[in-house]
Amino acid sequence: MRVYVPLTLPGLAEAHRTGELGAGPFLAYAVTPALREWYLSDDIEELEYAALGRAALASLRLLAADADAPRRRVVVAVDVADGAATVDPDRGLDPAALGEVTVNVTVPLAKAAAVHVDADDAEQDVTAAAEALAAADDGDDDAQFLVDGADDHELLWFATQEIPNLVGRR
């Protein structure tokens, strides 16, 4: 199963230092039955893109909680065994939890398939989105507009061999 793990650049640096993406349990995103139902598509690439987008939003939440982290969303794509990631049945249909899974095993960073990171030119919009996130969660439409502005920036794809360069440039 392909899962998308939300991080920040400091989180990616820590994973690079320890060699572990996470020691279970930790939060990730994947193509779940609820995500399939919500997205209304059978195209696996579209569904995986939707799961990546959910992880990017979770990365934005991590940025909102860490004022010192560079303002770039980070998502690591990794394949785990089918039973290693589970959906919480109590949150399966919660719109805020679409695609959310719990990875219950330790995942070596070496198992990562790719890393997705914002380009430098997204920094201003990602900063505004992180600052507006709490107000957007409270229903503020103007704040939601700022949060949605981060989605105007596609996350760039990086090979795992590029992680040292990514964490070194902060």
Side-chain angles (χ1 to χ4, degrees):
M1 168 184 263
R2 169 76 39 105
V3 298
Y4 298 90
V5 181
L7 294 174
T8 60
L9 282 173
L12 182 61
E14 179 66 11
H16 179 64
R17 186 185 68 74
T18 64
E20 289 183 355
L21 190 52
F26 62 90
L27 181 72
Y29 291 82
V31 177
T32 62
L35 185 72
R36 283 181 187 274
E37 187 175 321
W38 171 74
Y39 200 74
L40 298 174
S41 175
D42 290 330
D43 184 323
I44 192 64
E45 287 184 15
E46 287 181 17
L47 291 165
E48 286 183 347
Y49 185 77
L52 173 66
R54 302 296 294 175
L57 177 59
S59 176
L60 185 65
R61 291 188 183 288
L62 294 173
L63 290 174
D66 183 357
D68 294 332
R71 307 283 96 177
R72 288 185 193 85
R73 298 168 296 166
V74 177
V75 176
V76 177
V78 63
D79 294 320
V80 298
D82 286 341
T86 57
V87 176
D88 181 346
D90 294 331
R91 289 184 45 103
L93 296 177
D94 178 355
L98 285 172
E100 194 176 279
V101 296
T102 301
V103 178
N104 298 303
V105 298
T106 299
V107 177
L109 184 59
K111 296 282 187 184
V115 180
H116 303 271
V117 182
D118 276 311
D120 293 343
D121 68 352
E123 187 172 345
Q124 184 175 353
D125 289 337
V126 171
T127 299
E131 291 171 356
L133 196 54
D137 287 344
D138 288 338
D140 182 322
D141 290 338
D142 292 334
Q144 186 62 53
F145 179 77
L146 292 173
V147 171
D148 292 343
D151 286 337
D152 290 342
H153 298 275
E154 294 286 330
L155 296 177
L156 302 178
W157 182 96
F158 293 91
T160 57
Q161 299 89 328
E162 297 178 272
I163 291 173
N165 293 334
L166 290 170
V167 300
R169 70 178 208 178
R170 288 200 191 196

